[in-house]
Amino acid sequence: MAKPTLQPSRGLMLWRGLTRRCPRCGGGKLFKGWFRMVPDCPHCALHFEREPGYWVGAVAINTMVIGMLFAIVLVAVSAATIPDIPWVSLLMAEIPLMAIGPAVFYPFSKTLWVAIDRAFLAHL
Ligand SMILES: [Zn+2]
């Protein structure tokens, strides 16, 4: 468990966060199951939750990403089918997206938040 001495680039940290890996070392296996994140990286011992309330950033990212996905589907389907927008079919697609999407994106939002925090905010 040697600590890496070099700080990875911001782009690399964000990529690692998007792929559910540790932004500092790139190590995986940060989750037990889909929802439970380990408190420290098993590879470089980075402690993820820096302070109480830390994960509010991950909740914000999750909300923004799923909200943008909702808007993109809404605008794309509306633009493609106007003036006969299939509202029922659109709702049949959007409701499951809004119900299941946050759970599917949950682990990604956590590692992405850690990456954003490490890349842009950790020095503050
Ligand atoms: Zn690590």
Side-chain angles (χ1 to χ4, degrees):
M1 237 194 263
K3 288 189 175 184
T5 54
L6 289 176
Q7 176 89 349
S9 70
R10 286 178 171 163
L12 181 58
M13 283 195 274
L14 292 176
W15 174 248
R16 287 172 174 173
L18 276 171
T19 53
R20 295 195 329 149
R21 291 182 290 144
C22 172
R24 183 161 74 179
C25 73
K29 299 191 185 303
L30 304 182
F31 288 86
K32 293 180 176 175
W34 191 254
F35 296 105
R36 206 169 58 165
M37 188 175 191
V38 297
D40 305 295
C41 175
H43 308 281
C44 71
L46 173 67
H47 185 65
F48 296 121
E49 187 174 357
R50 290 199 301 141
E51 58 192 356
Y54 179 75
W55 296 118
V56 170
V59 172
I61 288 172
N62 200 335
T63 303
M64 285 188 284
V65 167
I66 299 302
M68 281 193 301
L69 207 55
F70 175 88
I72 289 168
V73 169
L74 179 70
V75 169
V77 170
S78 298
T81 59
I82 205 163
D84 297 317
I85 299 170
W87 291 111
V88 173
S89 300
L90 189 57
L91 277 177
M92 296 300 282
E94 293 278 38
I95 290 172
L97 173 70
M98 297 306 291
I100 299 168
V104 171
F105 191 64
Y106 177 81
F108 300 96
S109 69
K110 289 189 90 165
T111 52
L112 185 58
W113 170 242
V114 173
I116 289 170
D117 178 50
R118 299 279 314 167
F120 298 100
L121 307 173
H123 64 282
L124 297 177

